[in-house]
Amino acid sequence: MTSSVALQNEPTPITACTVARDVQNFDLLIEDMETELGESWGDLNFVDAAAYLKQPDAHELEFIAIAVDGNDEDNLHGIGDLIARAKEIDVKVILIAEDVSPIALHQLLKLGADDFAPYPLPEGALHDAIQRIRKPKAEPAPVPVSDEEGGDAPKKHVSTGKMGELDGVILPVHGLAGGAGASTFAVNLAWELANVEKKDNPKVCLVDLDFQFGSASTYLDLDRRENVYEMLSDIETMDDDAFKATVQQFNDCLDVLTAPNDMLPLDLLGPEEIEKLVRTAQRNYDYVVIDMPSTLVQWTETVLGMAHVYFGLLELDMRSAQNTLRLIRALKAEDLPYEKIRYVLNRAPKFTDMSGKSRARRMAESLDIDIELHMPDGGKPVAQACDHGLPIAETAAKNPLRKEIVKLAKSLHEVNADEAAG
Ligand SMILES: Nc1ncnc2c1ncn2[C@@H]1O[C@H](COP(=O)(O)OP(=O)(O)O)[C@@H](O)[C@H]1O
Ligand SMILES: [Mg+2]
């Protein structure tokens, strides 16, 4: 083994080891390892690491840091075997990846790497990863309700069903052009649904699946917590309790699964995992509002398939029109249920704006779609509510946009209640 010399002859015991094709490609990792561990670490290439991990000495390691880049993708098998072997002998694995495709990254994480950091390493990332693997696996936090209200008191927003046995209405919101207003719509629709009744409100969960630019946490002033990533990267073992421990409560009546703290590749989760995530939410809530990324991803069709109503938000401009056309074509080409999309025109022309209204009509005709919902421009107060991290209801209850969203929430709830009643 090329680097075994360093490993075996060091006077200081070796407690960790980098594993890379050539660790010199990861000089920031070398620096950080020195900062964290002084001299008590070594480095190995993949071949030598495979041999070393079979030796009794290897049991002494606390962790290995496997650094991979795009050129290692052909060797995923070999790297997977290393991770498996490390797990066998109870050595933790931190994965450090540069330019690795989301699919490859996902596979490696699934094989059981304990932690992950992107390369170039952000300030403190290795330190944090080491701290995390040193912590014993966190027990799922208690369900927030007992913190708030003490004991087993029922949630304020009681609905007829028990959590875990519900069959929620799935309402994804997809912006057909960036800034079209999808997140604002999703956040405020979720809020209005959660307050649609005078008492016994339905249970509502807002799920932010825009793993990169998700803004639900900003619009409701919630933390972006580390545990979101932890849950998303291990959907396989996620259960109802883990889900409920990961959502945050907003003002006692709306649960929110925010986007993770770090920007993650949208393909970190595959269709099956997204399905499990959404089903879990569905079992535990009456309404699941999903803020979708604008980009089409593998699992867009999964969510489209599961949706009761799939809102497509657009504006009265060329960009929205062309994107909508492209989206419909893409969905048709794949034989996907494009007709499930219900179009919402945001910043729609006012009632009195005749020319605006005729432009909207022409746009719908030329796209061969129905634009069923018109959301008015709510002006500055809308952006201000977003910036303050509050639903519009809390800062500008009379705002025209809010009024329309309330109407929509009521009608959705009525339809749903009627259907439930038979
Ligand atoms: N109908 C509206 N009236 C006024 N401002 C709006 C309206 N819809 C969205 N906005 C504002 O536009 C900006 C972008 O909205 P956002 O919901 O984040 O878009 P998206 O999620 O589609 O990218 C936000 O500042 C929001 O407050
Ligand atoms: Mg958004």
Side-chain angles (χ1 to χ4, degrees), residues 175 177-184 215 219 346-347 375-379 382-383 386 401:
S183 298
T184 309
S215 31
Y219 290 177
N346 194 19
R347 300 188 176 92
M375 293 292 141
D377 193 328
V382 174
C386 292
L401 174 61

Side-chain angles (χ1 to χ4, degrees), residues 170 172 174 209 270-272 274-275 278-279 292-293 295-307 310 327 330-338 340-341:
I170 299 175
H174 190 140
L209 291 186
E272 279 155 29
I274 290 288
E275 176 169 353
V278 176
R279 288 265 177 257
M292 291 290 284
T295 317
L296 279 194
V297 284
Q298 269 183 329
W299 42 265
T300 310
E301 80 169 270
T302 313
V303 180
L304 182 61
M306 297 173 83
Y310 193 100
L327 175 72
L331 295 177
K332 272 187 182 167
E334 300 280 325
D335 242 345
L336 297 175
Y338 64 94
K340 241 184 173 174
I341 304 178

Side-chain angles (χ1 to χ4, degrees), residues 142-274:
V143 183
V145 60
S146 32
D147 292 348
E148 294 275 330
E149 303 175 14
D152 295 317
K155 286 203 175 188
K156 231 175 175 175
H157 42 129
V158 225
S159 75
T160 41
K162 270 203 209 134
M163 285 186 113
E165 298 172 4
L166 298 174
D167 182 19
V169 177
I170 299 175
L171 303 170
V173 181
H174 190 140
L176 298 177
S183 298
T184 309
F185 180 83
V187 164
N188 285 284
L189 178 61
W191 173 259
E192 299 303 345
L193 281 167
N195 291 281
V196 73
E197 297 276 6
K198 292 215 167 60
K199 53 177 195 167
D200 293 354
N201 268 302
K203 293 189 181 74
V204 182
C205 188
L206 173 66
V207 177
D208 194 343
L209 291 186
D210 191 347
F211 299 140
Q212 298 190 337
F213 294 106
S215 31
S217 61
T218 311
Y219 290 177
L220 292 172
D221 194 20
L222 296 168
D223 301 335
R224 282 169 172 252
R225 292 194 189 152
E226 288 294 337
N227 62 358
V228 175
Y229 170 72
E230 280 158 29
M231 185 181 82
L232 293 180
S233 57
D234 193 12
I235 292 280
E236 216 164 302
T237 65
M238 175 198 69
D239 56 12
D240 288 8
D241 288 339
F243 184 90
K244 282 182 262 166
T246 311
V247 296
Q248 294 182 64
Q249 270 204 322
F250 178 82
N251 282 9
D252 278 353
C253 62
L254 173 61
D255 283 2
V256 186
L257 181 68
T258 69
N261 194 25
D262 293 318
M263 264 198 193
L264 295 179
L266 292 171
D267 287 5
L268 183 68
L269 271 70
E272 279 155 29
E273 289 160 315
I274 290 288

Side-chain angles (χ1 to χ4, degrees), residues 384-417:
Q384 277 162 0
C386 292
D387 280 349
H388 286 139
L390 289 169
I392 307 169
E394 300 282 287
T395 58
K398 299 218 154 56
N399 188 277
L401 174 61
R402 191 232 160 185
K403 284 190 190 159
E404 276 314 303
I405 297 179
V406 171
K407 268 197 231 162
L408 173 63
K410 283 196 175 136
S411 81
L412 284 168
H413 191 56
E414 271 164 27
V415 172
N416 186 33

Side-chain angles (χ1 to χ4, degrees), residues 66 75-88 91 93 95 103-115 233-234 236 273:
I66 301 183
N75 184 25
L76 283 189
H77 252 312
I79 299 170
D81 290 346
L82 284 180
I83 296 175
R85 174 64 191 155
K87 302 246 84 175
E88 246 172 51
V91 173
V93 178
L95 186 68
I103 293 167
L105 185 60
H106 183 203
Q107 281 178 356
L108 291 174
L109 286 170
K110 261 178 73 174
L111 284 168
D114 297 279
D115 218 293
S233 57
D234 193 12
E236 216 164 302
E273 289 160 315

